[in-house]
Amino acid sequence: MPPTPPAPRASVQTLDQTTAPTPSAAGTRGLRDRVELVLTEFLERQAGVLETVSPDCSPMLDAIATLLSGGKRLRPAFCYWGYLGAGGLDEDDIVHAAAALELFQAAALMHDDVMDDSDTRRGQPATHRRFEALHAQAGWAGSGSRFGLAGAVLAGDLCLSWSDELFALAGFAPDAVQRGRRVFNTMRTQLMGGQYLDMLEQASCAQQGPAGAVERARRVVRFKSAKYSIEHPLLLGGSLAGADDALLADYSTFGLALGEAFQLRDDVLGVFGDPDVTGKPAGDDLREGKRTVLMAYAVASATPEQAAVVERRLGDPDLDAAGVEQLREVLVDTGALAGVEALISEQVDVACATLDAAALTEPARAALHELVVAATTRRS
Amino acid sequence: MPPTPPAPRASVQTLDQTTAPTPSAAGTRGLRDRVELVLTEFLERQAGVLETVSPDCSPMLDAIATLLSGGKRLRPAFCYWGYLGAGGLDEDDIVHAAAALELFQAAALMHDDVMDDSDTRRGQPATHRRFEALHAQAGWAGSGSRFGLAGAVLAGDLCLSWSDELFALAGFAPDAVQRGRRVFNTMRTQLMGGQYLDMLEQASCAQQGPAGAVERARRVVRFKSAKYSIEHPLLLGGSLAGADDALLADYSTFGLALGEAFQLRDDVLGVFGDPDVTGKPAGDDLREGKRTVLMAYAVASATPEQAAVVERRLGDPDLDAAGVEQLREVLVDTGALAGVEALISEQVDVACATLDAAALTEPARAALHELVVAATTRRS
């Protein structure tokens, strides 16, 4: 094997130093550090396994460590507070389970970026672009984009396998593991199904027309984002702690409502967000032609002229700043933006009311209230 | 969502009927049926979970069921006999663990075909081609090849997640699960590493030249094929049964030797096999430019003229029958084919000698001897 060229790399040892400070809920700051530590130690262990194959595998580990270093750690926070809210003790086992969710998320992001052919993620080159750059820099033979794709598929497969491995390492009692696995399994299958549904919606929405488009887009949000971002992490924590059915039902209601609000905020930021803060180029969602709830609202009440603008501009890979502005105007003028903001508020209200009425520990209630704010008023 | 067009599909219910009879080792015929049953029931359960997302997810399940229906069930057989060889009882738990390996293999194949952009697998369209065809048939918008790629990445992710889920369902005692997971985890990480190494070798071998090419190709074989095809399935079975270190060491020696012979046979079939029997077009490996041990042997002892043929023809996507024939001649005339056949024999001898000396049960010894023959003298 050739010596690995000095590609852009983040050593696993520096993971904990590269985490940017962001607003965090009560106690979550300490949790962030503990999650970093678990991930850093786990990646060191995996570096040893990959080393048995070849030292040339190190770019895989670098790609994973880099992506992991940029997370908001929202999913671990929900898992952790779901556990403590149900009376679980603040010990290392739940931090391991929570950290496993970050690996699952990393797998989803790497594969998602390959499927969408995205250029950037968390302000850095997407994983497949990273491997493409490595290929170009080394002057290797064959297609760089194919090398990039393969690198990202494999790195994502590693993260998917490792999320399960880390979960198993947490060390819960067999009955807790069994309850937790049920959630973990449902989360994985529903996310893949939700991603497929998203892709199908993008491909078939023109055929299907605007009728029902809002409902279809909301269904994609539920399965592609709300469940695995918030509902399942909470349920995982709750199940591991042995929460009763009533609390688990409240976690579901809270999680789905907040999860939808979280993704809707993401959609709004994808069009109206500040690229310096979001880490994604302005209008990327528009260039990719994403059929978001925001867009479905716009199409549902567009004038023929406005509909023509969407038809012409949405999904244009060469969309320029003026084109982005034109689509933004349609989203504002049709009332779509206001409609989505109203829906976010409505879902936040449902989440907060459920949280207020749920039978969980007080520190968890307070922390989850803070997480509601963090998830829905964020700018990145 | 639009009604799903009537794409080529294999219902999970027919899985057990679509298995072609093939030579099988003692007792393995019954095992095949039991593995089918476990997989069929497991996929029915997963159909229910995907249904909660949308009935439109059914093409994912169809793609997985179709791929699974074509397997030789070699990995389950090694796992099963590894277990019985170490004194494990012939019960349902080991069949579940063995079947989980088929799902892992399906994940690897789906993603491998995406990475190699292969057209066919097991005589059927590769998974991404299947989703491409679905896209074309439905007349959906956007890029069909992108839709195909995404479908195969997601279906592979499902199989990867499900392999772990099925393993956990097997119902072994916690200490056995822990021993088994150690093997399962190593298998997953080393396979992804091995696949990366393979890709790296294809990309960089021209830069590196022929020196050491045979050793590098053999290393790829070990990590990309031998370990997860034979060594790890055997070790998984053995570990679950609580085999002692001496037997596990014998399983490793046997598995690596036979695994290498198995893959070398695959490489020979990839160039010299009968397409009607292998289910793959003649010369596909040559068109893809695979840097196999066979090819490394040829390059190592090629005349300048022969080297020029390899240089010109290998990896030519439009390689015709005459070109395939020309490369075959080089492989024969350089002695590469004879060299690989000798290496296969050598490894088979190591495997058989190890097996004869190992302290395992007699039925397992007999069955593994039959599997040696099945794995290395096969024609597909």
Side-chain angles (χ1 to χ4, degrees):
Chain A
M1 284 298 133
T4 300
R9 54 178 289 158
S11 147
V12 292
Q13 287 80 358
T14 63
L15 252 189
D16 49 346
Q17 296 153 20
T18 58
T19 312
T22 59
S24 61
T28 308
R29 181 89 209 121
L31 175 64
R32 288 179 64 94
D33 293 342
R34 290 161 73 192
V35 167
E36 308 297 343
L37 191 64
V38 167
L39 288 173
T40 302
E41 286 179 359
F42 183 76
L43 290 191
E44 275 167 14
R45 169 199 284 240
Q46 298 301 341
V49 181
L50 283 176
E51 180 87 13
T52 62
V53 180
S54 165
D56 290 315
C57 290
S58 66
M60 302 264 277
L61 207 73
D62 296 339
I64 293 169
T66 301
L67 184 64
L68 282 175
S69 72
K72 297 189 195 75
R73 311 287 184 240
L74 270 184
R75 290 165 190 81
F78 283 110
C79 177
Y80 174 83
W81 287 113
Y83 186 77
L84 267 65
L89 296 178
D90 184 8
E91 285 171 0
D92 280 351
D93 47 7
I94 188 59
V95 180
H96 276 75
L101 293 174
E102 285 293 283
L103 282 164
F104 180 65
Q105 157 80 342
L109 294 180
M110 284 175 169
H111 285 180
D112 203 47
D113 286 343
V114 164
M115 294 188 279
D116 289 347
D117 199 24
S118 303
D119 292 325
T120 54
R121 172 64 69 178
R122 294 176 172 169
Q124 303 263 359
T127 306
H128 56 118
R129 294 276 181 262
R130 214 182 140 85
F131 282 102
E132 255 180 67
L134 183 68
H135 186 276
Q137 205 175 348
W140 287 328
S143 158
S145 69
R146 189 144 285 284
F147 186 88
L149 182 150
V153 167
L154 291 171
D157 286 349
L158 278 177
C159 288
L160 193 52
S161 303
W162 290 352
S163 72
D164 161 65
E165 183 172 341
L166 184 52
F167 175 70
L169 278 178
F172 284 98
D175 57 333
V177 168
Q178 206 160 14
R179 291 192 305 267
R181 277 205 175 275
R182 222 170 290 145
V183 178
F184 207 79
N185 291 338
T186 305
M187 173 181 75
R188 295 189 293 194
T189 300
Q190 287 189 334
L191 176 62
M192 310 308 171
Q195 286 187 292
Y196 180 76
L197 204 63
D198 185 24
M199 192 171 76
L200 202 58
E201 175 64 19
Q202 311 299 317
S204 65
C205 64
Q207 267 183 15
Q208 298 188 82
V214 168
E215 271 322 296
R216 294 199 309 272
R218 289 186 68 181
R219 187 169 189 85
V220 167
V221 165
R222 193 169 320 129
F223 285 99
K224 198 198 164 171
S225 177
K227 281 181 168 276
Y228 103 103
S229 298
I230 304 188
E231 187 201 12
H232 287 136
L234 266 173
L235 288 178
L236 179 61
S239 300
L240 286 169
D244 62 20
D245 289 348
L247 180 54
L248 292 177
D250 283 340
Y251 278 171
S252 267
T253 305
F254 169 86
L256 282 174
L258 180 58
E260 182 169 21
F262 173 77
Q263 181 58 44
L264 293 175
R265 171 61 59 225
D266 220 54
D267 292 346
V268 170
L269 287 169
V271 178
F272 295 94
D274 176 352
D276 288 344
V277 184
T278 62
K280 292 184 92 174
D284 240 23
D285 283 6
L286 300 173
R287 259 172 231 110
E288 287 176 15
K290 282 200 187 154
R291 293 289 173 166
T292 57
V293 175
L294 184 62
M295 200 51 75
Y297 268 143
V299 171
S301 52
T303 63
E305 291 72 27
Q306 289 168 327
V309 170
V310 172
E311 174 74 20
R312 205 169 57 242
R313 300 293 199 179
L314 187 67
D316 172 6
D318 302 317
L319 194 72
D320 59 9
V324 170
E325 200 40 50
Q326 224 181 345
L327 280 169
R328 281 180 180 161
E329 272 170 27
V330 171
L331 293 170
V332 173
D333 296 347
T334 53
L337 178 60
V340 166
E341 290 292 354
L343 187 53
I344 292 175
S345 295
E346 185 188 307
Q347 297 298 316
V348 167
D349 288 347
V350 169
C352 289
T354 307
L355 190 55
D356 286 334
L360 80 171
T361 64
E362 288 311 318
R365 194 189 320 276
L368 289 172
H369 266 302
E370 284 193 44
L371 283 166
V372 171
V373 177
T376 53
T377 63
R378 66 205 162 88
R379 296 174 57 225
S380 72
Chain B
M1 285 298 136
T4 301
R9 52 178 290 157
S11 146
V12 291
Q13 286 79 2
T14 64
L15 252 189
D16 48 346
Q17 295 154 22
T18 57
T19 312
T22 59
S24 61
T28 306
R29 179 92 207 118
L31 174 65
R32 285 179 65 92
D33 292 343
R34 290 161 73 192
V35 167
E36 308 298 342
L37 191 64
V38 167
L39 289 173
T40 302
E41 287 179 357
F42 183 76
L43 291 192
E44 275 166 13
R45 170 199 284 240
Q46 297 302 340
V49 181
L50 284 175
E51 180 88 13
T52 62
V53 179
S54 164
D56 291 314
C57 290
S58 66
M60 301 264 278
L61 207 72
D62 296 340
I64 293 168
T66 301
L67 183 65
L68 282 174
S69 72
K72 299 188 194 73
R73 313 285 184 240
L74 271 184
R75 290 164 191 81
F78 284 109
C79 177
Y80 174 82
W81 288 112
Y83 186 78
L84 267 65
L89 297 177
D90 184 6
E91 286 171 1
D92 280 351
D93 48 6
I94 188 59
V95 180
H96 276 76
L101 293 175
E102 285 294 281
L103 282 165
F104 180 65
Q105 157 81 342
L109 295 180
M110 284 175 169
H111 285 180
D112 203 46
D113 286 343
V114 163
M115 293 187 282
D116 289 348
D117 200 23
S118 303
D119 290 326
T120 55
R121 172 63 70 175
R122 294 176 173 170
Q124 303 262 359
T127 306
H128 55 119
R129 294 275 181 262
R130 215 182 140 83
F131 282 103
E132 255 180 68
L134 182 69
H135 186 276
Q137 206 175 347
W140 287 328
S143 157
S145 69
R146 189 143 287 281
F147 186 87
L149 181 151
V153 167
L154 291 171
D157 286 347
L158 277 178
C159 288
L160 193 53
S161 303
W162 290 352
S163 73
D164 160 67
E165 183 173 342
L166 184 52
F167 175 71
L169 278 178
F172 285 99
D175 58 331
V177 168
Q178 206 162 13
R179 292 193 304 268
R181 276 204 176 275
R182 223 170 289 146
V183 179
F184 206 81
N185 292 337
T186 305
M187 174 181 74
R188 295 189 294 194
T189 299
Q190 287 188 333
L191 175 62
M192 310 307 170
Q195 287 187 293
Y196 180 77
L197 203 62
D198 184 24
M199 192 172 74
L200 201 59
E201 175 63 21
Q202 311 299 316
S204 66
C205 65
Q207 267 183 16
Q208 299 187 83
V214 168
E215 271 321 297
R216 294 199 310 271
R218 288 187 69 180
R219 186 169 191 84
V220 168
V221 165
R222 194 170 319 127
F223 284 99
K224 197 198 165 172
S225 179
K227 281 183 167 273
Y228 103 103
S229 297
I230 303 187
E231 187 201 12
H232 286 136
L234 267 172
L235 288 178
L236 179 61
S239 300
L240 286 169
D244 63 20
D245 288 348
L247 180 53
L248 292 177
D250 284 340
Y251 277 171
S252 266
T253 305
F254 169 86
L256 282 173
L258 180 57
E260 182 170 22
F262 173 78
Q263 181 57 44
L264 293 174
R265 173 59 61 225
D266 220 55
D267 292 346
V268 170
L269 287 169
V271 178
F272 295 94
D274 176 353
D276 288 344
V277 183
T278 62
K280 291 185 92 174
D284 240 24
D285 282 7
L286 300 172
R287 259 172 231 110
E288 287 176 16
K290 282 200 187 155
R291 292 292 174 164
T292 58
V293 175
L294 183 63
M295 200 52 74
Y297 268 141
V299 171
S301 52
T303 63
E305 291 73 26
Q306 288 168 328
V309 170
V310 172
E311 173 76 20
R312 205 168 56 242
R313 300 293 199 180
L314 187 67
D316 172 5
D318 303 317
L319 194 72
D320 59 10
V324 170
E325 200 38 52
Q326 222 181 348
L327 280 169
R328 282 180 180 160
E329 273 170 28
V330 172
L331 293 170
V332 173
D333 296 347
T334 51
L337 179 59
V340 167
E341 290 292 353
L343 188 52
I344 291 176
S345 295
E346 185 189 307
Q347 296 300 314
V348 167
D349 289 347
V350 170
C352 289
T354 308
L355 190 54
D356 287 334
L360 78 171
T361 64
E362 289 312 320
R365 195 189 320 275
L368 289 172
H369 266 302
E370 285 194 43
L371 283 167
V372 171
V373 178
T376 53
T377 63
R378 65 203 162 89
R379 296 174 57 225
S380 71

